[in-house]
Amino acid sequence: MTRKLGIAVIGLGPASLPHSKSLLDLAERAETRWAVSRTPDRAKAYAAQFPFPTTTDLDAVLADPAVDACIVLTPPSSHLDVSALCLEAGKHVLVEKPLELTSERGQRLVDTARRTGRTFGVTLQHRFRPASLRLKTALDSGELGMIEAAFLSVPWWRPQSYYDEPGRGTLARDGGGVLLTQAIHSLDLFRSLVGVSKVVAAQARTTGLHRMETEDYVSALLETGNGAPATLVTTTAAYPGYPERIEITGTKGFAALIGGRLRLAFLDGRAEIVEAEGSTGSGANIMDFPHDAHRAVIADFLDAIEQGRDPVVTGEEALASQRLVDDILKAARLHGAPSVS
């Protein structure tokens, strides 16, 4: 049997919950040797929930030869610096989305990963949902035919109390608003399914429902990889929050992916449904979703290390989605929408 890989979890905020639950499930494959927070109180609270050793000493963790890989769950503004420390110490890295505050910093992180030769992946778990995988198969195999139109909607809700937390919704800590922080999962999945070759026009603004630096509403007209029209609408001002939705019109059928539930309807009369379990974190409770997809991300990351291959979501893939965010917000400014980022 291949020995267990030693894992360190770095950053013990809300994002650590689904990752840590997943590591418990994967205990036969990976040993979580450390859980790291620079805040002693946060480390203590984490230790009350999970049986992993906690510490505030990142240097000691990186010097531990039994640590093979790090899962970096710190705020986006620190992803480059923390991940680079891990990579330079010879550790493989799985980093939480978004890649970094800016595409330029994201590129530096991707370059560091390639230079060090370590396995590097990004947590964009919507690609790993069973319904997402089935939809990708239907598209790649030609079951749906040629894409003729596509639609992405993320009608989520975040109360003002969410943005009142220091740094939330700011460029300095989060790097952006609804597109980069909330909708990035669905946008990344959408891009991986249909491709996006062009941003035709866009609008971005902060609605009167929130006091924040960055945008909480974005709409855009896009073109898919084959030039078909596509529409995007994302917001965190849709009370009380509804599941994200991807619709794809093909020459042989139609697909509706609503949250984690997929319905395929083919022109020959066939129909197929892939059911989903649980919520998607679309409302005020941002952690209201099952951790199955996170477990699949981590399992793929472990497979990639053991097999010497790239994970499904590489740094380059995450960077492509982040650059699409840049392009949409640039188009919004060019078309006269208020500058919010």
Side-chain angles (χ1 to χ4, degrees), residues 10-89:
I10 303 174
L12 303 182
S16 69
L17 297 179
H19 285 274
S20 299
K21 291 177 182 178
S22 299
L23 287 168
L24 288 174
D25 293 344
L26 295 167
E28 291 187 358
R29 298 192 58 192
E31 179 183 4
T32 304
R33 297 190 58 84
W34 297 106
V36 187
S37 175
R38 64 182 180 181
T39 307
D41 287 346
R42 181 162 279 182
K44 183 178 180 180
Y46 179 90
Q49 291 183 275
F50 297 100
F52 307 137
T54 59
T55 182
T56 59
D57 191 345
L58 178 57
D59 290 337
V61 169
L62 296 183
D64 184 351
V67 173
D68 300 292
C70 297
I71 299 178
V72 177
L73 308 175
T74 56
S77 57
S78 64
H79 283 179
L80 171 59
D81 295 337
V82 174
S83 298
L85 285 174
C86 299
L87 292 164
E88 297 290 1

Side-chain angles (χ1 to χ4, degrees), residues 278-315:
S279 302
T280 64
S282 61
N285 183 358
I286 64 173
M287 304 310 295
D288 182 22
F289 56 84
H291 67 278
D292 307 56
H294 281 79
R295 183 175 61 236
V297 170
I298 296 175
D300 173 68
F301 178 61
L302 298 176
D303 289 343
I305 294 172
E306 293 171 353
Q307 298 167 13
R309 63 165 174 83
D310 281 336
V312 169
V313 185
T314 62

Side-chain angles (χ1 to χ4, degrees), residues 67-140:
V67 173
D68 300 292
C70 297
I71 299 178
V72 177
L73 308 175
T74 56
S77 57
S78 64
H79 283 179
L80 171 59
D81 295 337
V82 174
S83 298
L85 285 174
C86 299
L87 292 164
E88 297 290 1
K91 315 301 184 185
H92 308 288
V93 170
L94 176 67
V95 67
E96 184 56 78
K97 64 77 187 172
L99 190 59
E100 243 288 353
L101 290 183
T102 66
S103 294
E104 183 274 331
R105 287 179 62 84
Q107 182 67 67
R108 288 166 58 190
L109 178 49
V110 171
D111 290 345
T112 300
R114 289 301 181 191
R115 176 176 55 78
T116 58
R118 300 295 88 189
T119 302
F120 181 74
V122 184
T123 305
L124 287 163
Q125 72 270 10
H126 284 201
R127 295 201 196 191
F128 289 83
R129 291 171 169 172
S132 301
L133 295 170
R134 175 65 184 103
L135 178 53
K136 181 169 177 56
T137 297
L139 289 166
D140 291 349

